[in-house]
């Protein structure tokens, strides 16, 4: 949520880049908030219907790197919190 506020298009001069980042952050939050979608992502399967490849491939440049940098808290998988 903090990143969504930081990258909101209304708060950035580069509206195009901010809009893309805001969308990517929103999608990342959506995946992490849904256990089924998160499991698909972890297996490298397409998460969204229009996503081309597995593991961070196609949906608007959905960046796997963003998950690693901003949403990982060390260790693997996370398991049932």
């Amino acid at each position: 949520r903090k990143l969504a506020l930081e990258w909101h298009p209304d708060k950035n001069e580069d509206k195009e880049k901010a809009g893309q980042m805001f969308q990517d952050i929103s999608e990342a939050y959506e995946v992490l908030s849904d256990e089924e979608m998160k499991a698909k992502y972890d297996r490298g399967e397409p998460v969204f219907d229009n996503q081309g490849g597995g593991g961070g491939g196609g949906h608007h440049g959905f960046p796997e790197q963003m998950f690693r940098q901003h949403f990982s808290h060390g260790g693997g998988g996370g398991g049932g919190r």
Side-chain angles (χ1 to χ4, degrees):
R1 293 178 192 195
K2 180 180 175 183
L3 287 172
L5 290 173
E6 179 181 331
W7 283 100
H8 194 281
D10 291 344
K11 295 185 177 190
N12 286 275
E13 290 181 25
D14 186 348
K15 303 247 185 252
E16 186 174 332
K17 179 180 179 182
Q20 185 61 51
M21 288 296 293
F22 183 80
Q23 182 175 349
D24 289 345
I25 292 164
S26 297
E27 291 167 359
Y29 184 80
E30 180 180 356
V31 170
L32 292 174
S33 299
D34 183 293
E35 289 299 319
E36 184 177 333
M37 290 175 81
K38 185 175 182 293
K40 283 183 177 182
Y41 179 84
D42 289 343
R43 292 188 301 262
E45 298 174 6
V47 177
F48 297 97
D49 291 336
N50 62 344
Q51 184 174 355
H59 188 66
H60 301 289
F62 192 63
E64 181 176 334
Q65 185 176 17
M66 183 183 299
F67 274 113
R68 283 194 219 119
Q69 290 178 345
H70 299 291
F71 297 104
S72 70
H73 298 288
R81 288 186 192 182

